[in-house]
Amino acid sequence: MNKILANCISLGIGLGAIGVAFPAQAAASTPSQAAITGFNLSQFADYTQTSNAQPNSGSFTFFPSINYTDEAALTSAFVFYNGTESSIPLDILFPFGDEFVAANSLTYPTLEALEAVFPDGTQYIYTIVGGSLGTQAAVLPTVPPRAFVNDVPFLTGTTFNDLQGFDPSQPFTISFNGTSLFPDISKNFSILSTLGGTVFDVSLNPTDTSLLLPANTLAPNTSYEFELEYVESELLFDTGFNGAESFLGFFTQTTGTFTTGSIIGTTPDSPLFPTPDPNNPDGFTFPGVPVGDNGLGIIDPIFFDPIVSVGCDYAVTGGPLFASVLIPNALPQGDSNFILELPGFGNYPLVAGTTFNLLGVNPLGFSDFRISDIDPAEMLDPTNPTAFVTGLTFTAPGTVTVTQNPITVSVPEPSNLLGLGLLGFGAFFTGKLNKKQAKKDS
């Protein structure tokens, strides 16, 4: 029921039209005059999207309501139909904003089941009993034929799959289908936190089939629910109960869930990738990297990844200097010991998983350095996007351009290693192991 109320509210058509409003102060218990301000009928077709495909089944809800100004105005309310042979008690009573609502919510598994109980052309008589207003009745104006849209709303193309794990620091285009019915239809798209509250909401033009979700609207690694809603509605004035309004609405809506991913560059599994640079054809350039947003690059490292060989030269131009460096994990074959070469200050051991504080060597930071001694036996795949991820922090906020240029050496291809023979092959790796052990002993 609360979701249905929220959907009604999202139309923004006012309290008297739908029987509800945004919560405000507690409703006054003794207003100057009790009155019925609205008697309404909303019908809902609800679908859930779980893939790129359009949903093909849903649930269907019949939601009659009365809103009134004084809690003592009535003690019970009903909707009669089929003459007076059948009735629906409006026994969900609650204050909302400055008024009160009496309602009921009846849900059916198929549209056919809903239509079997409430076929088009049915007359509805809203009746109140007891309270300061006594017994009164009003006939809901002629309800138009059921007007759910002909096409189930859904996110089109690969939008649904692309939402899963997307980087919320980047803008995202959300595409959805249109409808050939009702050119004056109202359309709305919203994103809600699974913890409660709407974080993004936009009213759409009837012909819209896409929208742009601005960068940084959502948080990383967070779950959300989206709602895409198409509404055909009519608001009638002075229709009964001494001047009350009547709202008739048909809501066709699809919901779905998704979880955002990490912001690119914030984890070793999601590093920044280089941009082709004709001025640096043999290296890798990361232009325009923002430093300092939410502590990124100042407190937490930004991770960069080039295609690698046996080492890399790092340089920064514009903005702050390098403050620390981190190789987050050992390489696939276990190599975790490298050499950090700092111009003018000498060489230092660099161990995977341990952050090296460059400011401890030079409090001003470094504009360039080299990481060398990557074991050729690793035979790192140059197409692997996470082959040699490097985490960097900087001395201050700003915008920087980082270059990362590989150091290459010729090493035998795996097929040629077999040609060395078992003795030569063993000597090749033994030499590397002895070299690593000597480094550790030193």
Side-chain angles (χ1 to χ4, degrees), residues 8 21 29 33 40 60 69 79-80 164 263 267 316 323 328 334 350 367 376 383-384 431:
C8 290
S29 59
Q33 183 177 4
N40 321 291
F60 300 84
T69 59
V79 175
F80 291 92
Q164 315 303 321
I263 295 175
T267 69
V316 60
L350 178 64
S367 62
T383 64
N384 182 351

Side-chain angles (χ1 to χ4, degrees), residues 132-143:
S132 61
L133 292 178
T135 300
Q136 298 185 39
V139 176
L140 190 68
T142 302
V143 178

Side-chain angles (χ1 to χ4, degrees), residues 16 36-39 67 236-246:
I36 303 298
T37 57
F39 59 113
N67 57 293
L236 304 174
F237 298 93
D238 196 13
T239 55
F241 291 116
N242 298 315
E245 301 171 346
S246 295

Side-chain angles (χ1 to χ4, degrees), residues 349 435-442:
K435 172 177 172 291
K436 289 293 181 184
Q437 186 61 48
K439 286 172 58 180
K440 293 177 182 178
D441 294 342
S442 63

Side-chain angles (χ1 to χ4, degrees), residues 176-387:
F176 44 87
N177 63 328
T179 177
S180 57
L181 290 179
F182 318 120
D184 59 343
I185 197 169
S186 299
K187 299 168 71 170
N188 192 81
F189 180 85
S190 58
I191 297 176
L192 301 89
S193 168
T194 55
L195 300 178
T198 300
V199 296
F200 179 76
D201 185 83
V202 60
S203 296
L204 303 166
N205 294 320
T207 57
D208 287 345
T209 56
S210 68
L211 63 89
L212 185 66
L213 179 67
N216 299 310
T217 300
L218 307 180
N221 304 309
T222 303
S223 295
Y224 294 95
E225 179 181 89
F226 70 81
E227 292 184 356
L228 177 61
E229 183 177 66
Y230 298 172
V231 183
E232 177 68 13
S233 63
E234 184 175 5
L235 179 62
L236 304 174
F237 298 93
D238 196 13
T239 55
F241 291 116
N242 298 315
E245 301 171 346
S246 295
F247 172 76
L248 307 173
F250 298 92
F251 298 73
T252 310
Q253 62 184 26
T254 294
T255 61
T257 59
F258 65 96
T259 300
T260 55
S262 300
I263 295 175
I264 298 298
T266 60
T267 69
D269 294 330
S270 183
L272 288 175
F273 292 104
T275 297
D277 183 359
N279 296 320
N280 187 27
D282 297 323
F284 307 98
T285 301
F286 303 83
V289 179
V291 176
D293 292 346
N294 299 316
L296 187 60
I298 300 295
I299 300 172
D300 301 313
I302 302 174
F303 291 92
F304 299 77
D305 182 47
I307 303 169
V308 301
S309 52
V310 295
C312 283
D313 287 323
Y314 298 76
V316 60
T317 58
L321 303 180
F322 295 119
S324 74
V325 58
L326 168 68
I327 304 302
N329 302 299
L331 298 181
Q333 302 302 320
D335 191 5
S336 62
N337 292 278
F338 314 101
I339 295 175
L340 178 61
E341 303 180 22
L342 302 177
F345 290 86
N347 297 346
Y348 296 83
L350 178 64
V351 180
T354 301
T355 299
F356 189 97
N357 179 17
L358 296 172
L359 302 183
V361 179
N362 180 7
L364 299 178
F366 287 85
S367 62
D368 61 282
F369 63 86
R370 169 177 288 190
I371 296 176
S372 60
D373 201 35
I374 299 174
D375 193 340
E378 289 286 345
M379 303 296 283
L380 297 178
D381 181 359
T383 64
N384 182 351
T386 57

